[in-house]
Amino acid sequence: FPLGPAVLLPMFLVAVILGRGEVWAGWRPFLGTIVATLVGLGIFLAWAIPANRAPGGEMAQTGLMVHVIGRALRPMEGHGGSGPVGYLLTLPVYVPIVIAGLFPWIIHLPAGASALVRRHLGSVRARAVLWGWSVPPFVMFSLAATKLPHYVLPVFPPLAILAAAALAAYREGRLSEKDRDWLRGGAVFHGTVALLGAGAIAAAGIVAGGAAAIASASIAAVLVGGVGLLAAAWKLRERIASVNA
């Protein structure tokens, strides 16, 4: 329950601040949101209060103090770095997870980020929502001591929208030359990541041992590497065509 507001509140605040009044639609929608929130909270409390009393307050103590606040302040069950050095080393752990999770569409994300920063995508409201939807959850869960891959699932929809918007803007000719450079550079990055990922999958199969594991890992490595190289070749071909034109 607490993770929902933890994602939505920073998203809303950042979107309103960056939207420069464009996100704010007046008091009526705002009050409607407050009323809906209070109704939802009331329904939740109607279940949570008796459910918490039944085991003598154990649900709140364990659910909130241990699994929310406790996980944020210290790594639990080995999911995070130990000590200050381990904490610092695991700060960027979600970067490869985002790269792998958006594969193969990660090729369009650098251009999308460039166009978002340079205000070449969408309206002020759309850009504010994308900033608020993607950055606060990623930063918040990166700073939390306990780290699990599914914690950053809220950032995948806005990043997918950003990548798709970059591709649409490119085909409509709305990207700047700098944005297009990032789109072309994404092909090289994509091909490199694909080859590294394919190598890692193949190595994992060899380490695991057994004919089945090696065969499965080999097939997965060929698929990952092949898709990555095909996407990279496609983008590089577009780059050559644009230069020749």
Side-chain angles (χ1 to χ4, degrees), residues 52-147:
N52 183 58
R53 285 179 177 174
E58 184 66 21
M59 189 183 76
Q61 178 64 30
T62 302
L64 180 61
M65 300 305 296
V66 175
H67 290 293
V68 176
I69 297 176
R71 287 181 180 271
L73 298 179
R74 64 182 184 279
M76 297 183 65
E77 300 159 354
H79 300 299
S82 177
V85 175
Y87 174 77
L88 293 175
L89 290 175
T90 57
L91 280 177
V93 72
Y94 289 126
V95 173
I97 291 174
V98 168
I99 293 174
L102 282 176
F103 187 88
W105 309 115
I106 189 70
I107 190 172
H108 306 304
L109 192 59
S114 173
L116 182 65
V117 171
R118 291 178 172 81
R119 303 176 182 177
H120 296 157
L121 286 182
S123 63
V124 174
R125 177 182 296 183
R127 291 194 298 270
V129 171
L130 284 175
W131 277 114
W133 195 355
S134 58
V135 175
F138 186 85
V139 172
M140 179 177 66
F141 290 120
S142 294
L143 293 177
T146 302
K147 293 178 171 65

